[in-house]
């Protein structure tokens, strides 16, 4: 089993317990340890208050002290340590109105989302499982801690997290938990789009995405999510893991709309990738010659082209035309990329000033058009990338 991070963090728990407090590993790391999965990070919970944690350790950062979380730095490693807590009524279906620090592990665990995430483990690998989380893991079942309606009323994001876990872990959802989701899915409209996108990205990348995505459609989740609610999402099919960017591009390619991607609050890099994907989805099926493919490879990010090629099946499943595999394939794209004479316009042997001087013409829109013609001629090997050869070619082939 993967115990490296636990062993590394053991001294933290030992230091806390030596001072008379309780301390445990908790949450996803314990779940993954039980399942034999790789552990990426760990969470620690303790009966010690934030002030007490600060008094125990010499290097602390109060990243969320009001909510009970202190960042402890030991040997250049950061550990988030959160005090046992109970929570009062939630507001906006997301945040508790008040956090109360408690000394009882059971009281802390009973506020958590799913039984599989409500298991604590001490530094001796002794498990504390009050809600049959181990049995649910064994049965590959996602079940809320306590009443499902109450858990989702407290925090609507738990419903999207449930579907994400189903996708990542290939678990089933307990009937009562799923029933509560069907009754309360509309509450996700209160969530920030950033939170939803984080979960959706992970869901789409999961091995069991076909089932989870089907459930999102059945539960009408997209009807309450910005941007997506403007599309007929039941026309979209996802049968295998896919990136968020390609997923959104498929939606836009299938159902062209002018809705702003800014609603999703994505990074500029993500928006650019989506826009390129949409252009590639509509452009690649029309490629019938090697010269046309050369220009596509030059104009677009090659990794995005390869991603489109790898996802022919999902494009077809969404009634989108795909490229001719004899012309557009991984090998042909890689070979063209390797042999490109230039990779960007700045590498051309001429520029606008060269053209104005040679043609004795003032600046104007014609420069951009002529530079593009030259660019295409270089890429398709119709002219060598040297100033003298390009200017000869311009004299013989360009009309201004």
């Amino acid at each position: 089993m993967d115990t490296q991070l636990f062993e590394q963090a053991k001294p933290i728990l030992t230091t806390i317990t030596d001072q008379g407090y309780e301390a445990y590993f908790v949450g996803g790391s314990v779940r993954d340890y039980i399942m034999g999965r790789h552990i990426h990070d760990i969470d620690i919970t303790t009966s010690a208050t934030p002030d007490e944690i600060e008094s125990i350790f010499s290097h602390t950062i109060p990243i969320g002290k009001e909510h009970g979380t202190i960042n402890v730095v030991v040997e250049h490693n950061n550990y988030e340590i959160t005090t046992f807590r109970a929570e009062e009524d939630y507001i906006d279906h997301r945040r508790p109105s008040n956090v109360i620090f408690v000394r009882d592990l059971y009281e802390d665990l009973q506020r958590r989302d799913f039984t599989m995430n409500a298991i604590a483990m001490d530094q001796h690998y002794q498990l504390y499982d009050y809600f049959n989380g181990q049995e649910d893991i064994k049965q590959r079942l996602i079940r809320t801690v306590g009443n499902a309606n109450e858990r989702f009323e407290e925090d609507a994001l738990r419903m999207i997290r449930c579907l994400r876990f189903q996708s990542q872990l290939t678990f089933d959802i307990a009937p009562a938990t799923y029933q509560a989701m069907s009754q309360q899915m509309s509450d996700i409209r209160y969530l920030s789009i950033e939170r939803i996108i984080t979960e959706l990205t992970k869901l789409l990348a999961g091995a069991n995405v076909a089932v989870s995505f089907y459930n999102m459609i059945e539960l009408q989740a997209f009807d309450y999510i910005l941007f997506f609610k403007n599309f007929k999402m039941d026309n979209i099919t996802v049968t295998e893991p896919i990136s968020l960017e390609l997923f959104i591009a498929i939606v836009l390619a299938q159902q062209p709309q002018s809705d702003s991607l800014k609603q999703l609050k994505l990074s500029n890099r993500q928006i650019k990738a989506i826009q390129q994907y949409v252009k590639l989805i509509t452009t690649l099926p029309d490629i019938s010659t090697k010269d046309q493919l050369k220009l596509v490879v030059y104009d677009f990010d090659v990794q995005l082209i390869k991603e489109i090629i790898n996802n022919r099946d999902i494009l077809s499943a969404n009634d989108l035309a795909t490229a001719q595999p004899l012309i557009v394939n991984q090998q042909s794209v890689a070979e063209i990329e390797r042999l490109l004479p230039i990779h960007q316009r700045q590498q051309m042997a001429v520029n606008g000033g060269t053209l104005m001087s040679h043609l004795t013409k003032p600046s104007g829109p014609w420069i951009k058009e002529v530079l593009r013609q030259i660019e295409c001629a270089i890429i398709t090997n119709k002219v060598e990338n040297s100033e003298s050869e390009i200017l000869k070619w311009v004299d013989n082939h360009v009309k201004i």
Side-chain angles (χ1 to χ4, degrees):
M1 288 188 174
D2 185 2
T3 61
Q4 180 182 352
L5 290 181
F6 292 131
E7 289 296 315
Q8 182 177 292
K10 257 189 183 184
I12 301 288
L13 270 63
T14 301
T15 300
I16 296 172
T17 55
D18 284 349
Q19 295 296 315
Y21 305 104
E22 296 177 47
Y24 305 91
F25 300 114
V26 72
S29 61
V30 178
R31 178 199 67 226
D32 290 343
Y33 167 74
I34 294 169
M35 293 180 65
R37 287 164 51 91
H38 178 66
I39 296 165
H40 300 281
D41 51 45
I42 60 173
D43 292 313
I44 296 172
T45 187
T46 179
S47 61
T49 66
D51 287 338
E52 290 165 344
I53 289 296
E54 287 179 325
S55 70
I56 293 171
F57 297 95
S58 59
H59 187 177
T60 61
I61 305 169
I63 56 170
K65 188 172 180 178
E66 67 276 17
H67 301 297
T69 301
I70 298 291
N71 193 324
V72 172
V73 184
V74 177
E75 295 183 357
H76 306 292
N77 292 312
N78 291 269
Y79 299 94
E80 285 191 9
I81 301 177
T82 302
T83 301
F84 296 165
R85 65 190 195 188
E87 295 164 344
E88 295 188 349
D89 292 341
Y90 279 64
I91 55 175
D92 297 332
H93 301 273
R94 180 70 186 116
R95 302 184 306 277
S97 58
N98 190 35
V99 170
I100 304 167
F101 301 141
V102 297
R103 297 288 190 181
D104 183 57
L105 175 63
Y106 179 92
E107 196 169 355
D108 179 78
L109 293 177
Q110 73 174 351
R111 71 176 175 82
R112 295 178 181 266
D113 52 7
F114 306 109
T115 59
M116 63 182 184
N117 296 333
I119 305 170
M121 183 173 74
D122 65 22
Q123 65 263 47
H124 307 296
Y125 296 92
Q126 172 71 39
L127 297 173
Y128 298 79
D129 179 11
Y130 302 114
F131 307 102
N132 297 316
Q134 292 175 87
E135 182 61 26
D136 283 342
I137 290 173
K138 183 179 179 181
Q139 298 297 325
R140 306 187 72 80
L141 198 64
I142 305 172
R143 186 195 310 274
T144 56
V145 175
N147 183 279
N149 291 92
E150 291 178 6
R151 294 292 83 75
F152 296 141
E153 174 70 23
E154 290 167 351
D155 185 353
L157 187 65
R158 287 170 172 165
M159 291 183 281
I160 305 299
R161 281 170 55 81
C162 183
L163 292 165
R164 186 257 287 185
F165 285 131
Q166 181 184 46
S167 179
Q168 289 181 318
L169 303 176
T170 66
F171 279 21
D172 293 322
I173 301 173
T177 299
Y178 193 86
Q179 177 65 22
M181 291 165 68
S182 70
Q183 295 170 351
Q184 293 174 240
M185 188 57 72
S186 62
D187 287 344
I188 68 171
R189 68 183 184 271
Y190 298 111
L191 301 173
S192 72
I193 191 63
E194 295 97 329
R195 292 280 189 175
I196 293 177
I197 288 298
T198 295
E199 296 298 329
L200 182 59
T201 301
K202 296 174 182 178
L203 183 156
L204 291 168
N208 199 32
V209 61
V211 173
S212 293
F213 187 81
Y214 173 84
N215 287 338
M216 282 202 74
I217 298 298
E218 184 175 72
L219 293 165
Q220 300 179 319
F222 288 108
D223 290 355
Y224 309 105
I225 303 176
L226 284 175
F227 179 80
F228 294 108
K229 65 182 181 181
N230 298 317
F231 296 86
K232 295 180 179 179
M233 292 303 294
D234 55 355
N235 289 348
I236 301 296
T237 299
V238 177
T239 54
E240 56 194 61
I242 186 175
S243 71
L244 173 76
E245 293 81 9
L246 181 53
F247 168 69
I248 295 172
I250 287 173
V251 174
L252 288 169
Q254 187 199 79
Q255 304 172 47
Q257 291 189 20
S258 58
D259 288 86
S260 173
L261 285 169
K262 290 183 179 178
Q263 293 178 79
L264 297 175
K265 298 188 179 179
L266 303 173
S267 68
N268 291 334
R269 178 194 61 77
Q270 288 177 298
I271 291 174
K272 182 178 179 181
I274 292 167
Q275 293 169 338
Q276 286 215 342
Y277 274 136
V278 172
K279 289 180 183 178
L280 284 168
I281 290 170
T282 56
T283 299
L284 287 176
D286 295 329
I287 299 298
S288 58
T289 69
K290 194 170 183 178
D291 277 356
Q292 289 176 327
L293 183 56
K294 287 178 181 178
L295 290 172
V296 170
V297 172
Y298 173 75
D299 286 335
F300 291 88
D301 184 327
V302 171
Q303 289 306 120
L304 302 188
I305 300 173
K306 292 178 178 178
E307 191 74 9
I308 293 290
I309 294 171
N310 285 339
N311 284 277
R312 292 181 195 274
D313 290 346
I314 200 167
L315 293 176
S316 296
N318 284 283
D319 298 319
L320 294 169
T322 58
Q324 300 177 45
L326 290 178
I327 297 173
V328 183
N329 54 64
Q330 296 285 0
Q331 185 177 349
S332 64
V333 168
E335 181 69 6
I336 287 173
E337 182 191 26
R338 186 177 68 83
L339 297 175
L340 279 178
I342 60 172
H343 290 84
Q344 54 187 353
R345 179 169 289 186
Q346 288 80 357
Q347 294 176 317
M348 287 168 51
V350 301
N351 55 35
T354 312
L355 293 176
M356 286 189 291
S357 176
H358 177 73
L359 298 171
T360 62
K361 285 182 64 67
S363 177
W366 66 271
I367 294 178
K368 183 177 179 180
E369 296 172 9
V370 173
L371 286 174
R372 178 58 179 173
Q373 291 180 53
I374 297 169
E375 198 171 28
C376 293
I378 293 171
I379 296 303
T380 55
N381 304 112
K382 291 181 173 61
V383 64
E384 180 185 332
N385 185 30
S386 73
E387 182 176 323
S388 59
E389 291 301 313
I390 290 172
L391 294 178
K392 287 180 188 177
W393 184 87
V394 168
D395 291 337
N396 293 323
H397 295 86
V398 176
K399 294 182 180 179
I400 302 173

